Amino acid sequence: MLWVKAFHIIAVVCWFAAIFYLPRLFVYHAMSEDSTSIERFKIMERKLYRGIGTPSMIATVALGLWLLSYNPQGYMTQGWIHAKLTLVTILIGYHFYCGHLIKVFREDRNQRSHVFYRWLNEAPVLILIAVVILAVVKPF
């Protein structure tokens, strides 16, 4: 079980690295005006999302479900796990929304400013804080 937990934490760290960096790339992409930079950001966004973000998300979810399988009745009677799983579901939605934004940028259809992407970049920080507190403190 400890090996599964260790790999789960590693996958979470990798996923959050991608989730934190991808919207930052959107900020720079939205500010870019020359075609060389724009094309470079398209490549970086795609590779980060497909090469690191999505595989890490899949590993995080799979390993998390594996951990839950050790004692499903015990976990599912605790409120903190329901809150954590709700936040993880929101984060998965955020991940797929970022995938949608990659398509928007790829097709040169972005209408939002870099300020929007700066704010978008902050949302997963709040989720990370809440998830860690829920998993470690188990407040309810």
Side-chain angles (χ1 to χ4, degrees):
M1 179 174 163
L2 291 179
W3 281 102
V4 177
K5 187 181 285 189
F7 284 112
H8 176 66
I9 292 168
I10 291 165
V12 169
V13 170
C14 293
W15 187 24
F16 267 95
I19 281 181
F20 287 154
Y21 191 47
L22 190 55
R24 180 56 48 184
L25 289 176
F26 296 156
V27 169
Y28 301 139
H29 194 157
M31 293 172 62
S32 296
E33 297 176 1
D34 63 289
S35 62
T36 302
S37 295
I38 290 169
E39 293 307 313
R40 183 179 305 122
F41 284 120
K42 288 178 184 180
I43 292 167
M44 292 172 69
E45 291 157 0
R46 185 189 80 241
K47 287 185 174 186
L48 178 60
Y49 186 78
R50 290 186 185 168
I52 298 171
T54 300
S56 298
M57 177 193 67
I58 292 167
T60 296
V61 171
L63 291 163
L65 291 172
W66 191 352
L67 287 169
L68 282 174
S69 75
Y70 286 115
N71 185 8
Q73 293 82 11
Y75 281 121
M76 298 315 284
T77 61
Q78 300 177 40
W80 69 269
I81 194 72
H82 293 279
K84 179 184 174 190
L85 293 175
T86 299
L87 291 172
V88 170
T89 302
I90 292 167
L91 197 60
I92 291 168
Y94 180 92
H95 177 90
F96 286 118
Y97 179 64
C98 286
H100 164 74
L101 292 173
I102 289 171
K103 182 178 179 182
V104 168
F105 275 111
R106 183 181 69 227
E107 296 171 353
D108 298 317
R109 293 186 296 115
N110 178 52
Q111 300 295 316
R112 299 188 187 272
S113 75
H114 65 93
V115 176
F116 170 82
Y117 296 109
R118 288 180 194 277
W119 282 105
L120 184 69
N121 191 219
E122 302 304 322
V125 174
L126 301 174
I127 293 174
L128 176 63
I129 291 167
V131 166
V132 169
I133 290 170
L134 288 166
V136 174
V137 178
K138 298 173 178 62
F140 50 89

